[in-house]
Every structure is written in structure tokens, then in C-alpha cells.
Amino acid sequence: MFLSHPPQAIQPTCYTVNFLPRSSSKPPSYSVAFYNHSTTSAAGAKISNNHLIQSLCKEGNLKQALRLLSQEPSPPSQQTYELLILCCGRRSSLPDALRVHRHILDNGSDQDPFLATKLIGMYSDLGSVDYARKVFDKTRKRTIYVWNALFRALTLAGHGEEVLGLYWKMNRIGIESDRFTYTYVLKACVTSECTADHLAKGKEIHAHLTRRGYNSHVYIMTTLLDMYARFGCVDYASNVFNGMPVRNVVSWSAMIACYAKNGKAFEALKTFREMMTETEDSSPNSVTMVSVLQACASLAALEQGRLIHGYILRRGLDSILPVISALVTMYGRCGRLEVGQRVFDRMRERDVVSWNSLISSYGVHGYGRKAIEIFEEMLANGASPTPVTFVSVLGACSHEGLVEEGKRLFESMSRDHGIKPQVEHYACMVDLLGRANRLEEAAKMVQDMRIEPGPKVWGSLLGSCRIHGNVELAERASRRLFALEPKNAGNYVLLADIYAEAQMWDKVKKVKKLLEYRGLQKLPGRCWMEVGRKMYSFVSVDEFNPLMEQIHALLVKLAEDMKEKGYIPQTKGVLYDLETEEKERIVLGHSEKLALAFGLINTAKGEPIRITKNLRLCEDCHLFTKFISKFMEKEILVRDVNRFHRFKNGVCSCGDYW
């Protein structure tokens, strides 16, 4: 409710202006009205210009409104101040905002909670969170709206820790939260670094809002779902989603995005199908489609992706840049690089994300030189690279072993583009040097880093040691990784692999005992493939599964036939000191071989087989697939965690460099 009085009528002063037309001897008269800055009533008292100031603000004429404000004889109304504040925010004028604020202070209206709320919002929109804090600190009567305004300002500025501290303070003094409060404080949990402490606070806020009956509010619950998703707590997010009595397109999209970004692509596609079949008033929007395309890309689900592409065209979403960029990525990661290129070529406009998508697509296929060419084309078209651009192009150099080109690009980051290399860029460079067997140079780069290397950099170094069997450097890298990531089983397994290849079985046993002591388990190899628009999953097993008898029988037969043609199983990565025959049996149960056999049974002649794997392709599966591609005359595409492998006629596109 506004506290101002109805605006006074503004009386114009009329003047007569004469114009003399050429065809007339008598000049006609025209009346023209001019508004005085202030007018006088019959009694001689000044009349307020509130209404005129408000009209000027609504028209966006802030400068003239401020001139009138400075000549205003009586304190302006609350509504006038509100419109002045809103106009300052829209015009992005901090000096004018300070002028209005000073006027409010001079008139003694600064303790009005309504105006304090508006001032905090204005300073937030102007990016001046310090001024917003000062308004809050000097406001004695703080309503929930004043608190919420500061929570919003601090959250948007990334000061999540401060928001949470103030939230607990507000609770202690008995101010009751409303739906906006919970929205802002839940967002604050993920504006700072996502730590276990922030997750615990988020769970506590979840308990608060549940006790106060807000767990049926769709917007709050969607924000809560998104918070859990940001922490990777997929089960919590799923429970929130399943418990929502009402869902809108935002909540459906948030759940799909949660699955897509947390390694649950199957679930993302399943949820999308449910959205399409179970809801009538929640049509997918561009945000939904980006997440669904990401899920298709993760699984290399080409047929699903094509259906989604058709839906995008029918809905007219093909003019939205993030959607088209996601399409480019999807086709690239489904092995249809040429289609992704065509989608890119047809774009009427492109942003840096579009260029990054194309560079990354060529990089994951191992076409480093082409990725560099596109990067240079991007610069020629006036697009400025981002840190993500350099991650993509440096990664592309790594896949093709373009060491000197990668070093040149790395040096150009700060020199030519003002981008300070971050951990991700150093990790790319260590990977580039390490894969090229320049391990000492890679180690020196880690040593000379001006920032803390972190797990990504040490992990790149350890992975390179795994490729080239450097035990000494691997031990050094693993010691740092065990300290930084004590719960990451993959680091222990990598070190054990290196020991196993070096026949250092005592050390293999020590690493396995350490895994057992810390309650960690090796991530099982898993593969996915699409057949007839259905997705199938295969998990590595050490023992044959009787339910897959036909697949295993085919694998045994293929292995025997391949041995006659020169195939020698590569068993040095098996983490057990066993007889050769037992080791061969174990590697024959790898998930990519199971998927390959299933594809041979269920695909037509001339139809390529597409497989996606969650780990690095092992040496034996790589060799086995090369033999199959030649002697079964089958094109086979395998995308592992690092890159694409296209097998044809006994040759892999990676050139045995991965």
C-alpha cells in the first residue's frame, strides 16, 4: 500500500503565440501550454509536482525528473520516490541513484522499510552491493521484505556465505521466512564453493521449509531440486521431484538437467519421455531441449537425437543459439561430425559457445589440425575466445600429438587474449606433453605452476605415466592425488595398473589393500549402445553371465578366429597374478567386447556399430576391435572417456595414439 496522497492537479499556464501565414493578412492565434516547475493556487500556496515527476519517470526522462525534484517545495510522496528509484535502476545510473538516495536521507524518509527495500534492489541492479549493505545496516525497522532484498542482492553478487550467516541471524531474532526467503537462501548454498558444509546447510533449510508447509510450493521445491543437483545429490533431487504435487516446465527441466549433468543420461531421457506423455500443459522449452540433447550426446544415442532434432524444428526452437550449439555437440559426439558441421554452417548467427561446440567436436574425434583451423576462423570472424575455447583447442592438440602447436596456443592465452591460464589449461598441457612421452617436461610444467596444481593436473600426469609405464613419476603423482582425493578410487586403480604392467605384484597388492582399507571400489567399466531406438547397457564382468550366453559364445568364437589371424590378447593390465588363460578370460568379459558382440548380432550388414564407454578403452579391446572391423567388414565407432575411435578395415582413426 502506498502512503502518498492523491497527486495534485497541475495547472498549465497558457500563452498565445501568433503565426503569420503568407496567404493571410490576419494572423491566426494558437494556444500553446507550458508547464511551470511549480504552480501557485488561488490562495498563493505552492502545489506539489509529484504527478509530473512520476510521469517523467514513467517516460524514462530521469534528468528532467531530477531537476524538478531539486525544486520540489515539499517532501515527495513514497510513490514518487519509488518511481525515481526504479528509473535509476533502469537507466543504470549510479550517480543519479546516489542523488535520489541523498534526497531521501535529507527528507527523513530513509527509515521507510518500503523505500529501503527499493533502494537495496536498485543498488543490487546497479552492481553496488556495498551500498545495498549500507542501506540495510542503517534501516532500523527491517521487515521480511528488507531482509529478502538484501538476500537477493548478496546472492546475485555471489556472496552466498554472507546470506547464510544473515539467514541464521534472522531466525534467531524471530523474523519468519516467506517463499522468497527460501528461494534466495537455497540459491545462496550454491553461489559459493559447493562444500559439504554448504550441503548440510541446504539440508537444514530443506527441513525448515518443510516444517513451515512450503514443500508444496512449486517454485521453492524446484529451487531445492536444483540445489541438490548442483551438489551431485541425484537421489535427493529425485526424491524432491517425485514428492512435488504440482510440476511445471521449470521443475521438469531441472530434473532432466540434474540427470544429464550427473552421469544419468538414461534417466534424463526417461524423464523427458514421461514429461511428453504425462503432461499436457508443460511443453518443453529451449532449456529442456539443451539438457535432452546433452543426454543423447552422453550416450551417443543418434536416433534419439534425430527425433529430438525433428521436434526442435517443429517447435521453431532452431533459432535459439544454445539449442543449435547443443545440436552441433550432439551430432559430433554421436559420430556424425559431418552433420554437426552442416548444422553449424546453416546458423544465421553464432556466438562463442557455437564455435566452442564445433572445436570440441573435431577435438574429440582427434582432428587437432582441423580444430586449430576452426579456432583461427573464429578469431577472423571477430569472436573472442573464452577459457572454455582454449580447453577445447588444447584438448584437440593433445589427441593428435600437436605439441608445438599446443604450446604456441597456450602462450597466446595471456599474451594475445588476456586470459590467465587456469588449472584446466595446465591439465591440458600436461596431458599433451605426457601423451607425447615428454614426461620430464610435463613434470617441470607442474613444478613451475604459479597456482596450486590440484587433482586435474596431477591426474593428467598420472594418466600419462600409465600410458608410458613411468613408475617413479607415477608414485610421485599418486602421493599428491591420494592426499587431495583420498576417496577417488580411480587414482588407486591407475597406480595399480602401472605396477601390474611392470610386474610389481607386491605393490599391486598394497594398493588393493589400501583400496579395501578405505572402503573404495573400482568403478566398473560400462558401455552403452543404441539399437532400434532403444538403449542397451553392458557392464564389465570377471565371470560369465549365463543370461548372456549367446554373446559370450560369440566372443569366444571370435577370439579363437582372431588368434588364427594374428590377434594376441593384451593382458598386462589385469590386476591379478594369474595364468595367461585366466587373464584372457577376464579381458574377454570387458564391457566394450560385450557391446561389440551384441552389435554384431543385432545390426544389419553395412550398418555401423556405435558404442560409448565410461572409461578409457583398454589396449586389448582396442586391438580386438581393429581385428573385428577388418575381418567382419564392419565400421565400428567407440567413444571412450577421452576421444572417438573409428575402426575400419583394421585401422583406428586414433593411429594407436590415445
Side-chain angles (χ1 to χ4, degrees):
M1 179 183 292
F2 294 121
L3 302 180
S4 59
H5 297 290
Q8 300 290 336
I10 300 175
Q11 303 296 329
T13 302
C14 292
Y15 300 90
T16 299
V17 181
N18 294 326
F19 295 89
L20 182 61
R22 294 178 181 176
S23 60
S24 173
S25 59
K26 292 184 178 180
S29 297
Y30 296 91
S31 293
V32 180
F34 294 90
Y35 288 98
N36 288 332
H37 287 172
S38 60
T39 56
T40 307
S41 67
K46 292 281 186 179
I47 299 175
S48 170
N49 282 322
N50 270 295
H51 183 69
L52 183 54
I53 294 173
Q54 291 173 20
S55 296
L56 290 168
C57 288
K58 290 175 183 177
E59 294 168 2
N61 196 340
L62 179 60
K63 296 299 181 185
Q64 191 171 346
L66 290 173
R67 281 197 295 271
L68 278 181
L69 179 69
S70 65
Q71 300 171 14
E72 178 63 20
S74 57
S77 67
Q78 186 194 61
Q79 186 178 6
T80 300
Y81 275 137
E82 179 196 7
L83 289 171
L84 283 164
I85 290 168
L86 291 174
C87 195
C88 289
R90 286 196 297 266
R91 304 288 291 184
S92 300
S93 176
L94 181 59
D96 290 335
L98 293 169
R99 185 176 172 185
V100 172
H101 189 183
R102 194 177 305 113
H103 201 281
I104 291 172
L105 288 167
D106 292 343
N107 278 320
S109 300
D110 57 305
Q111 291 304 312
D112 182 345
F114 176 82
L115 291 180
T117 301
K118 296 298 179 183
L119 282 169
I120 293 170
M122 174 191 71
Y123 282 128
S124 173
D125 293 341
L126 293 172
S128 302
V129 70
D130 289 338
Y131 283 116
R133 280 197 196 94
K134 289 176 182 177
V135 173
F136 178 84
D137 292 340
K138 292 180 179 180
T139 303
R140 292 188 291 274
K141 185 180 179 182
R142 297 170 184 164
T143 64
I144 186 60
Y145 306 108
V146 176
W147 285 93
N148 285 346
L150 185 64
F151 289 162
R152 173 183 175 272
L154 293 172
T155 300
L156 290 175
H159 301 294
E161 195 70 46
E162 189 175 354
V163 173
L164 295 173
L166 286 167
Y167 173 70
W168 306 125
K169 179 180 177 181
M170 189 186 83
N171 284 333
R172 285 195 299 271
I173 63 177
I175 304 293
E176 189 168 331
S177 303
D178 65 7
R179 62 191 181 96
F180 296 105
T181 314
Y182 289 122
T183 299
Y184 297 138
V185 295
L186 285 170
K187 288 181 178 179
C189 291
V190 292
T191 55
S192 304
E193 185 179 354
C194 293
T195 65
D197 183 51
H198 290 131
L199 176 59
K201 289 177 180 177
K203 290 179 178 178
E204 191 170 346
I205 294 165
H206 185 180
H208 285 194
L209 65 89
T210 300
R211 286 196 298 270
R212 293 174 184 173
Y214 283 99
N215 55 341
S216 61
H217 193 285
V218 64
Y219 194 77
I220 291 176
M221 299 310 286
T222 301
T223 309
L224 178 65
L225 186 164
D226 187 61
M227 181 209 73
Y228 282 130
R230 300 284 187 90
F231 282 102
C233 299
V234 181
D235 290 340
Y236 282 106
S238 180
N239 288 336
V240 170
F241 180 76
N242 292 332
M244 292 175 69
V246 178
R247 300 165 184 162
N248 59 18
V249 64
V250 180
S251 47
W252 280 100
S253 298
M255 193 67 244
I256 293 168
C258 173
Y259 284 134
K261 293 175 181 177
N262 287 285
K264 301 281 185 179
F266 261 118
E267 290 79 356
L269 293 179
K270 179 175 178 290
T271 304
F272 176 67
R273 284 194 295 271
E274 291 172 0
M275 178 183 182
M276 297 294 287
T277 56
E278 296 180 12
T279 63
E280 296 179 358
D281 55 349
S282 293
S283 297
N285 57 23
S286 60
V287 177
T288 321
M289 304 320 297
V290 168
S291 296
V292 174
L293 288 169
Q294 288 173 348
C296 292
S298 296
L299 296 171
L302 179 61
E303 294 306 317
Q304 300 278 345
R306 282 173 171 163
L307 290 174
I308 301 301
H309 191 177
Y311 180 81
I312 288 168
L313 293 172
R314 290 194 299 275
R315 287 286 313 280
L317 299 174
D318 55 319
S319 61
I320 300 174
L321 278 174
V323 175
I324 304 303
S325 297
L327 271 171
V328 173
T329 300
M330 184 274 293
Y331 279 117
R333 292 185 175 268
C334 289
R336 296 301 303 273
L337 191 53
E338 71 285 358
V339 180
Q341 179 72 65
R342 284 204 301 270
V343 171
F344 180 84
D345 291 340
R346 291 172 183 170
M347 294 177 72
R348 293 192 181 94
E349 57 178 314
R350 299 161 183 158
D351 60 4
V352 68
V353 177
S354 311
W355 288 100
N356 290 348
S357 297
L358 192 63
I359 292 169
S360 176
S361 294
Y362 277 99
V364 80
H365 280 264
Y367 300 128
R369 296 187 189 280
K370 180 65 176 178
I372 294 173
E373 181 184 318
I374 296 166
F375 172 77
E376 291 172 348
E377 183 184 348
M378 181 189 80
L379 298 180
N381 278 270
S384 298
T386 64
V388 174
T389 311
F390 281 100
V391 170
S392 298
V393 73
L394 289 173
C397 291
S398 180
H399 292 315
E400 200 172 344
L402 305 177
V403 176
E404 297 308 319
E405 292 86 343
K407 291 170 72 173
R408 176 179 55 80
L409 286 164
F410 183 76
E411 290 167 1
S412 75
M413 287 181 63
S414 54
R415 184 190 65 224
D416 300 335
H417 305 287
I419 298 175
K420 186 178 179 181
Q422 298 300 313
V423 168
E424 294 81 4
H425 305 106
Y426 281 103
C428 288
M429 287 304 297
V430 170
D431 185 67
L432 171 63
L433 294 167
R435 286 177 188 274
N437 203 13
R438 294 165 68 162
L439 288 168
E440 291 305 320
E441 192 175 344
K444 188 176 187 308
M445 172 167 275
V446 177
Q447 181 181 333
D448 294 344
M449 283 177 62
R450 296 181 180 179
I451 56 177
E452 179 60 36
K456 290 182 179 179
V457 175
W458 288 112
S460 293
L461 189 59
L462 183 61
S464 298
C465 293
R466 159 72 173 80
I467 294 170
H468 299 291
N470 190 314
V471 175
E472 182 181 351
L473 192 54
E475 290 177 332
R476 175 183 162 193
S478 61
R479 280 195 295 270
R480 299 300 297 270
L481 283 167
F482 294 166
L484 291 167
E485 296 181 318
K487 297 295 184 181
N488 187 343
N491 297 326
Y492 300 87
V493 173
L494 263 179
L495 181 61
D497 282 344
I498 294 167
Y499 284 144
E501 288 191 26
Q503 303 289 304
M504 301 169 71
W505 298 112
D506 289 342
K507 291 197 172 185
V508 171
K509 289 178 183 178
K510 286 181 180 179
V511 175
K512 291 171 74 173
K513 284 181 179 178
L514 189 57
L515 271 169
E516 186 178 349
Y517 173 75
R518 295 189 173 177
L520 305 175
Q521 288 186 339
K522 177 183 177 181
L523 180 68
R526 182 181 292 273
C527 284
W528 298 269
M529 71 178 303
E530 184 183 39
V531 176
R533 292 181 180 174
K534 291 183 179 180
M535 296 302 302
Y536 296 87
S537 176
F538 305 87
V539 181
S540 295
V541 288
D542 287 349
E543 294 184 3
F544 291 150
N545 184 342
L547 297 176
M548 302 182 74
E549 185 176 345
Q550 185 182 10
I551 289 176
H552 289 299
L554 176 58
L555 282 173
V556 171
K557 180 69 168 61
L558 287 172
E560 291 174 354
D561 292 345
M562 294 304 105
K563 283 180 181 179
E564 294 178 1
K565 300 180 186 298
Y567 162 63
I568 301 174
Q570 305 295 300
T571 61
K572 58 183 179 180
V574 176
L575 299 181
Y576 305 97
D577 188 10
L578 302 171
E579 296 296 327
T580 300
E581 187 177 334
E582 281 298 301
K583 288 184 178 182
E584 290 181 10
R585 188 185 66 81
I586 289 172
V587 296
L588 200 60
H590 284 187
S591 60
E592 48 266 65
K593 291 193 182 76
L594 300 177
L596 176 57
F598 182 82
L600 290 171
I601 294 170
N602 291 282
T603 57
K605 185 177 181 180
E607 181 184 356
I609 295 173
R610 292 183 177 85
I611 300 170
T612 303
K613 187 178 181 185
N614 65 333
L615 302 174
R616 180 181 182 271
L617 195 63
C618 81
E619 287 81 353
D620 184 63
C621 288
H622 192 270
L623 180 62
F624 187 87
T625 309
K626 283 203 299 185
F627 271 88
I628 294 296
S629 70
K630 180 177 182 179
F631 294 103
M632 299 295 289
E633 297 181 351
K634 197 79 168 173
E635 183 179 7
I636 304 162
L637 291 88
V638 181
R639 197 190 79 212
D640 69 5
V641 71
N642 291 324
R643 57 161 298 154
F644 245 103
H645 299 262
R646 186 183 296 267
F647 299 91
K648 193 171 183 179
N649 297 323
V651 177
C652 180
S653 60
C654 75
D656 298 339
Y657 186 90
W658 83 101

